[in-house]
Amino acid sequence: MPLHPPPPRIPGTGARLGVKEAEAALVEHYPRLVRLAYLTLPPGLGRHRRVLAAHAAVQRALHGKALPAPDPGTAGVPAPRSAGRTGDGPHTPAYAGVRLRVVRSALAYGRRPRWWPDRVPAPAALRPSAPVVRGLRLFPRAGGTDEFALDRALADVPAPVRAALGLRLLESVSGEGTEALLAEAGVTDPAGSVRAAANLAGSDHERVRRMLLSDEFDPCTVQTRPGDLLRRRHRVRAGAAALALVAVAGGLALEAGSEGDDARSRASALRGTVSGGALDPAGLVRTPPGQWADTSRVDFSAWPPRGSRVRDRELLERALGSWAGPPAGVTVTAAPGTAVVPPVQPPQLLFAGDLGGEAVVLFHDGGVRAVRYAEPLSGAGAAALDFARVDDADVTTAAAVAVSRSGTSARYLLAPWVAESATRDLLAPGTPARTLDVNGDGVTAAVSRPAEGGPCLSWPVMQLRSSEKIVEKHAFLVTDLGDLAPVHLTHTPGPGSGAAARQPREATGAEALAGWARTACSLRDLRGSGVRAVNNWEFARQRLPGTSSTADWMCTRADTWRGPGRVLVQFAPAAGSASAPAEVVSDHRNTALCSRFGQHVVAGTHWRSPSGVRYVLAAGSRAVERIEVAGSVRGASDGPTLAVRAPRNATFRVDAELRDGGTVSSVR
C-alpha cells in the first residue's frame, strides 16, 4: 500500500528560499525524506505510530516560518554521485532546508520539554502531532534477520546517532556536513553522534546502506491490518452505554431536596463509569483456548483466560478500578520505561484466581504492558499493582509470567504452548534438570528465586519446552530478575567451536551451561532493570602464559524491553570449580556492543600466573588479526590474543586491527 504526500499547504510568499522550490523538493523526494524521518524517530513508538509520525514530520516541513537558506559550507548537501544509483540525492538549497526541518522535527520526538520532570516519560500530548488512521494498523514490510537485528541495534542508540547514520549512508552527506546539520537541528554533541554512527555501521557501510534501503525501513510502502475488531465492537457498545449514562446523570443532577447528597454521589459514580468504558469486566478480551495453535502471532495475545475466578465480576472490577486509579494504600511498581496509565481499551484477561493467600488478576493491554493485581484474601494487608513491558514478546519471552512471588520463591503462569517444564541450577551445569509440577490452570509449583544478597551459591532457572505444534525440539531457559516476565537466556559459541559466527542459540547444551556457570552471578546487577533477554557470547579463548590451561573471554549482553542494552565483558580463567565466577572486566550501558551490529570487540585485563608473574592479557573477537597494547606497558601480537609482562596496576590501552582493515579499541 504505497503512501503518497497530500497536497502541501504553502505557508505564503516571502521565504528566503523560494517556497515553490521547497515544495517541489518535498514532493519530488518525499519517500527519501520520510525514510530519513522514520530512521530517526524512536523505535519505542511502535511501527504504526512511527510510520504516521514520519509522514507528519515531512508534511510539517513547509509549515510555519519561511525556510532559511542553509550555509553552503555547513548545510550538508550531499555530494554528486553517479546518476541512476539508488539513493541519489538532490543538491539544491531548497531540499537541504526541507531536510533540516525534517530532521529537527523527528529529533523532537525523543526530547521532553525542559520543564518536564527527569525520568518521567513525556505524554503523547506533549509530542508533535501525527496523522490519525482509524480502524487500521500500518507497518512496513518485514525484512530479514539482518534488518531486524539492525532495527534492534538502532533502538540502543540515541536519536541523533540514528539521524547521523541516515545522513551519512542514505543522504551521502560528509562527516563535517552531518555534524553541521545536527548542530543546526539542536543536537548538543554532533561530533559524538557522527562517531557513534560510524561505529554502528562498522566497516561494511554498503551492506548497512542496503539494509536501510530495504522494505524494513520504508514507511511509504506499508502493509495494513485491521485493528482489534473485537475491541472496536466493545468500544462501540461502551460509547452507546456512555451516552445513555450521561443522560441519566443529567437527570439525577436535577434532583433536589433530602436526596441531594445521594444524587451527587450517584452522578459521580456514573461519571466514573462513563470515563471508564474500558473498565467493564464484561468487555474484557477473552482469547479462545485453542487459538495459540492456529495463529502466527505466538505471544500474549494467544493466551486464554485461566484460573478459578475468571468470572468473578467483583474481583475483576476491583482490579480494573485499581488500574484506572489506585486507591490510597495500594502499592504500585513498574519496570523501567513502563507507563502506569489506565487502559484506553478493554484489556485482555490472562488469569484470575487465588494463590498463596492472595487473589491475583493478570491482564495484557493488547500492546506493550502486562499488569498484575493482587489483594489479600484475609482482608489484612494492602493490595498491589505491578506493571511490566512485554511489547514484541515471542514464543520464549511470552512463555511465563510471575503470578505469585515471595522472598525466596515464585510461581508462574505458563504459556499454553509450553509442553514441558523443569528447573535447574546454573551453578551446577552437570546436574540434570528436575521436573516442575504444573496444575490444570498452567500455574507452576514454587520455583526458587536467585538470592538478592549474600553469597551466590545457586542460580535457579526454568527449562521449558515448546509444544511441537509451535516448534519441534525447542527447549529454552528463563530466569527471574524481579520483573513480571522472566528473562530469556541464550548463548553464542566461541571461535573454533564449529558454529557459525554470531548466531545466538538456546542455552541448554553442555557448552552453554558451562559458560553460564561462570557468569550467572553477574545477573544480580541486572535485577529490576526491565531486561528482556541476556546472551552469553564466548568471543575468545586464550592460552594462559606459563601454564597449560586456557581462559575464556565472554561478552554478556542484556537487552531491555524498552530498547537500550547493557554489556558486561568477563574474563574466566581456568579454575578448580565449574562455577567459579568470572571477573567483570568492563561494564557498558546503552551500547550496541556484542550485538549483531557491534560484532567486533577487544578487551584487556591484569592477570597473575600461579608462579607469581604479572601480565596484561588482551583478546579480541574472531575478526581481530593483530592486537597492540600501549601505555605504561607496551606490546603487540599477531592474532586475536596477547600476553605481555607488566607491573602491578599498569595502565594500558588495547587497540586491534581487523581482517577487513578496520580498527577497534578496548572496552576496558
Side-chain angles (χ1 to χ4, degrees):
M1 173 182 170
L3 298 181
H4 300 289
R9 293 165 48 195
I10 304 302
T13 59
R16 282 165 285 170
L17 287 177
V19 174
K20 291 184 178 180
E21 289 83 352
E23 177 190 357
L26 185 148
V27 173
E28 180 181 358
H29 302 290
Y30 186 83
R32 67 182 299 136
L33 289 167
V34 176
R35 188 186 293 265
L36 177 62
Y38 183 83
L39 175 62
T40 304
L41 287 163
L45 289 174
R47 291 190 294 172
H48 173 76
R49 290 172 59 199
R50 199 172 164 198
V51 166
L52 298 180
H55 285 273
V58 176
Q59 292 169 22
R60 280 195 300 267
L62 291 182
H63 298 184
K65 298 179 180 179
L67 289 166
D71 183 341
T74 62
V77 178
R81 297 164 62 189
S82 57
R85 180 176 176 177
T86 300
D88 285 350
H91 317 298
T92 66
Y95 176 81
V98 171
R99 181 176 59 194
L100 171 61
R101 279 198 169 182
V102 169
V103 171
R104 183 183 290 140
S105 179
L107 290 173
Y109 277 83
R111 300 180 183 135
R112 58 170 60 85
R114 293 182 180 178
W115 49 267
W116 192 255
D118 290 342
R119 302 176 182 247
V120 178
L126 297 181
R127 296 173 179 162
S129 61
V132 176
V133 175
R134 298 190 182 278
L136 290 176
R137 306 289 294 176
L138 310 178
F139 49 93
R141 298 180 183 276
T145 56
D146 287 350
E147 287 79 7
F148 175 76
L150 175 58
D151 194 42
R152 298 288 297 180
L154 290 170
D156 288 347
V157 299
V161 178
R162 296 192 295 270
L165 187 70
L167 291 167
R168 296 286 285 122
L169 297 188
L170 297 178
E171 297 289 294
S172 297
V173 184
S174 67
E176 296 79 3
T178 299
E179 290 181 22
L181 191 152
L182 292 177
E184 196 167 354
V187 175
T188 56
D189 183 15
S193 298
V194 172
R195 288 194 299 271
N199 291 335
L200 181 63
S203 57
D204 194 350
H205 287 192
E206 192 58 36
R207 174 172 170 268
V208 178
R209 188 199 314 275
R210 287 195 300 270
M211 284 189 280
L212 292 177
L213 289 169
S214 70
D215 290 343
E216 179 87 20
F217 299 95
D218 182 6
C220 285
T221 304
V222 300
Q223 294 178 309
T224 64
R225 293 289 185 273
D228 194 314
L229 300 178
L230 182 59
R231 292 179 190 273
R232 196 186 313 168
R233 184 182 179 192
H234 289 319
R235 286 197 293 270
V236 171
R237 288 181 174 179
L243 290 175
L245 288 169
V246 167
V248 174
L252 290 172
L254 297 177
E255 295 183 9
S258 60
E259 295 184 356
D261 292 341
D262 184 60
R264 280 191 294 271
S265 65
R266 281 183 288 169
S268 176
L270 288 169
R271 284 194 299 271
T273 305
V274 172
S275 63
L279 306 178
D280 182 2
L284 288 171
V285 176
R286 299 170 185 262
T287 301
Q291 181 168 312
W292 64 270
D294 297 310
T295 179
S296 60
R297 184 179 173 184
V298 186
D299 58 14
F300 287 106
S301 67
W303 283 37
R306 288 171 286 176
S308 60
R309 302 183 68 175
V310 293
R311 298 295 175 183
D312 188 331
R313 183 178 179 88
E314 292 184 357
L315 172 62
L316 298 177
E317 281 182 341
R318 290 195 298 274
L320 290 167
S322 292
W323 183 355
V330 174
T331 302
V332 179
T333 60
T338 308
V340 295
V341 297
V344 297
Q345 56 190 8
Q348 177 186 354
L349 179 62
L350 304 181
F351 178 85
D354 298 338
L355 288 171
E358 293 181 321
V360 178
V361 183
L362 281 178
F363 299 110
H364 180 238
D365 72 354
V368 302
R369 295 178 297 171
V371 180
R372 175 184 179 271
Y373 170 80
E375 63 181 28
L377 292 174
S378 64
L385 198 61
D386 302 316
F387 295 83
R389 287 276 295 268
V390 292
D391 40 323
D392 295 324
D394 56 23
V395 66
T396 57
T397 51
V401 173
V403 287
S404 177
R405 181 179 278 137
S406 67
T408 59
S409 65
R411 299 180 67 183
Y412 299 89
L413 180 65
L414 300 183
W417 57 80
V418 173
E420 293 180 4
S421 57
T423 61
R424 68 182 315 139
D425 182 3
L426 284 185
L427 300 193
T431 302
R434 295 174 295 178
T435 300
L436 175 62
D437 292 333
V438 181
N439 68 20
D441 288 327
V443 178
T444 69
V447 178
S448 296
R449 299 179 60 202
E452 296 185 14
C456 183
L457 303 178
S458 68
W459 197 277
V461 297
M462 287 193 296
Q463 181 169 305
L464 308 177
R465 186 179 67 79
S466 303
S467 167
E468 292 186 357
K469 294 180 180 180
I470 300 296
V471 59
E472 294 183 357
K473 299 179 181 179
H474 177 231
F476 54 95
L477 301 183
V478 294
T479 191
D480 190 329
L481 289 184
D483 296 314
L484 285 181
V487 175
H488 181 209
L489 302 181
T490 57
H491 167 76
T492 300
S497 64
R502 299 179 298 279
Q503 299 220 347
R505 67 275 323 273
E506 302 301 347
T508 53
E511 182 183 1
L513 292 172
W516 272 112
R518 303 296 303 273
T519 57
C521 291
S522 65
L523 293 173
R524 277 185 172 180
D525 293 337
L526 305 174
R527 190 183 302 275
S529 56
V531 174
R532 170 194 179 103
V534 185
N535 182 55
N536 225 17
W537 173 29
E538 298 181 16
F539 67 85
R541 177 164 293 173
Q542 180 173 20
R543 181 166 297 280
L544 296 173
T547 74
S548 58
S549 58
T550 59
D552 290 330
W553 290 82
M554 287 174 280
C555 190
T556 305
R557 178 179 174 84
D559 288 309
T560 63
W561 290 99
R562 64 192 185 279
R566 181 177 175 185
V567 160
L568 301 176
V569 177
Q570 306 193 62
F571 174 70
S577 169
S579 60
E583 172 196 354
V584 176
V585 172
S586 179
D587 182 352
H588 282 247
R589 301 170 188 261
N590 300 326
T591 177
L593 191 68
C594 301
S595 70
R596 179 78 172 182
F597 294 93
Q599 57 193 261
H600 305 307
V601 59
V602 63
T605 189
H606 295 275
W607 179 75
R608 183 179 178 183
S609 72
S611 62
V613 180
R614 298 184 181 276
Y615 292 86
V616 163
L617 304 181
S621 48
R622 68 181 74 210
V624 170
E625 67 175 9
R626 178 177 174 80
I627 294 180
E628 294 184 3
V629 171
S632 60
V633 58
R634 304 183 68 86
S637 173
D638 292 332
T641 62
L642 174 146
V644 58
R645 291 195 180 194
R648 180 196 296 266
N649 299 326
T651 59
F652 63 91
R653 185 187 73 254
V654 183
D655 296 297
E657 297 177 5
L658 305 176
R659 286 197 295 265
D660 62 5
T663 60
V664 62
S665 297
S666 170
V667 297
R668 179 178 172 82

